[in-house]
Amino acid sequence: MLLACLSRLEATIEAETEALLARRAVDHAAVNHLKSQSLLELSRLSRGLDPAGLDAVAAIHLARLRDKLARNQEVVAMHLRAVEEIGETVAAAERAAESDGTYAPRVGL
């Protein structure tokens, strides 16, 4: 049951990362829902679980998931920075379009 949960979460994370890297449309609501469900299931399954008692297969799954989560975090952060830059560019363009130049610095003085 734990391995199935880890596999589902890993597949969700990997799909999101690949979609972002390929610049494909991502249904963020659906992805977040899947991640939330998997994390809830994982937290329920891990209650009372002794980490020292995990077998090698579970440890491999956890290590692989940790690596994929780190890569996903990098890619999501990159996309968030891009969104911030686009927002700043749009805001600057709107400010420039609304300005009549009255308070703009004069060139050549």
Side-chain angles (χ1 to χ4, degrees), residues 29-108:
V31 170
N32 286 336
H33 179 73
L34 288 172
K35 287 194 285 188
S36 293
Q37 278 185 319
S38 292
L39 290 172
L40 176 63
E41 182 182 9
L42 183 59
S43 68
R44 287 178 178 166
L45 288 171
S46 64
R47 284 186 195 141
L49 185 68
D50 179 17
L54 290 176
D55 62 2
V57 174
I60 290 169
H61 274 271
L62 285 169
R64 198 171 54 214
L65 177 61
R66 182 181 54 242
D67 293 343
K68 289 184 181 191
L69 283 167
R71 179 67 178 140
N72 180 265
Q73 182 179 7
E74 292 170 3
V75 172
V76 169
M78 177 181 62
H79 277 262
L80 286 174
R81 284 190 305 274
V83 167
E84 288 172 354
E85 288 178 21
I86 290 168
E88 290 169 2
T89 302
V90 169
E94 286 180 355
R95 283 191 303 273
E98 291 174 355
S99 173
D100 63 1
T102 302
Y103 300 106
R106 291 186 172 186
V107 178

